[in-house]
Amino acid sequence: MLRDATPADFPAILALNEAFVKVLSPLDRDRLARLHAQAALHRVIERDGRVEAFLLVLREGADYDSPNYRWFAQRYARFLYVDRIVVAADTHARGAGTQLYRDAYSLASRDAVPFITCEFDIEPPNPASERFHARLGFREVGRQQLHGGRKTVSLQALDVAAGNTPLGDDGIG
Ligand SMILES: CC(C)(COP(=O)(O)OP(=O)(O)OC[C@H]1O[C@@H](n2cnc3c(N)ncnc32)[C@H](O)[C@@H]1OP(=O)(O)O)[C@@H](O)C(=O)NCCC(=O)NCCS
């Protein structure tokens, strides 16, 4: 079941974030509650009573100190920013991530938001995320180093108007 996240989901969302914190940024309950309150989209996939995936998306204008969010805010007037997406390890590569991104794409199309943005790690690399986003039509628009050079991210954008993504079709995911 794909549905909106509620505060009752926060423990499960925090656990998913913690499981992949090396490729995300740390999250605690207060920070999650602030992001949830500002989210343009906060969705979970629940199966048999278990939250197995979530997606949290912001629009421009959010009060958020993430250097990656700020990178986009300085360059794009209107955008969706995928702050984080996590699918439980035992559910990877079964279409959950694509299903969640379909919601972001629908929102962007509906509200005529020209870009969906995100980043993934390239040093150290996150090959699953890189392949996942490339398959959906995301392209690199910049890079930046974080944590004093210990991490490099690829900043990515999907041009919604161009329509060159499988997210608008029914043939994938
Ligand atoms: C990245 C992630 C969200 C993808 O979600 P998913 O539900 O596994 O992806 P889907 O099943 O919708 O899509 C499958 C595609 O994702 C990519 N993918 C998923 N798991 C992969 C893996 N272990 N290795 C390589 N590619 C992988 C592939 O491109 C795959 O399609 P393909 O094999 O036809 O090329 C998921 O792997 C995840 O939660 N990873 C841990 C957290 C994370 O990295 N989040 C993103 C931070 S930027």
Side-chain angles (χ1 to χ4, degrees), residues 3-7 10 13 27 30-44 54-64 69 79-84 103-104 107 110-111:
R3 60 169 175 78
D4 284 338
T6 74
F10 287 3
I13 289 167
L27 200 56
D30 285 353
R31 195 163 171 83
L32 176 58
R34 282 200 300 277
L35 288 171
H36 176 80
Q38 297 195 74
L41 196 62
H42 192 189
R43 302 281 277 169
V44 296
F54 76 94
L55 170 80
L56 197 154
V57 177
L58 299 169
R59 279 285 300 262
E60 72 277 0
D63 175 19
Y64 188 30
Y69 178 78
F79 62 97
L80 290 186
Y81 173 70
V82 176
D83 181 55
R84 53 198 89 208
D103 277 7
L107 175 64
R110 191 196 73 195
D111 291 355

Side-chain angles (χ1 to χ4, degrees), residues 48-120:
D48 299 330
R50 170 197 179 220
V51 171
E52 61 183 19
F54 76 94
L55 170 80
L56 197 154
V57 177
L58 299 169
R59 279 285 300 262
E60 72 277 0
D63 175 19
Y64 188 30
D65 60 3
S66 150
N68 297 316
Y69 178 78
R70 295 172 71 88
W71 192 95
F72 290 111
Q74 284 161 9
R75 290 167 178 81
Y76 293 76
R78 288 167 56 79
F79 62 97
L80 290 186
Y81 173 70
V82 176
D83 181 55
R84 53 198 89 208
I85 177 167
V86 181
V87 177
D90 61 5
T91 311
H92 282 180
R94 292 191 199 160
T98 305
Q99 203 184 345
L100 287 164
Y101 258 88
R102 276 189 195 287
D103 277 7
Y105 187 79
S106 298
L107 175 64
S109 302
R110 191 196 73 195
D111 291 355
V113 180
F115 296 103
I116 302 175
T117 65
C118 69
E119 79 285 339
F120 53 72

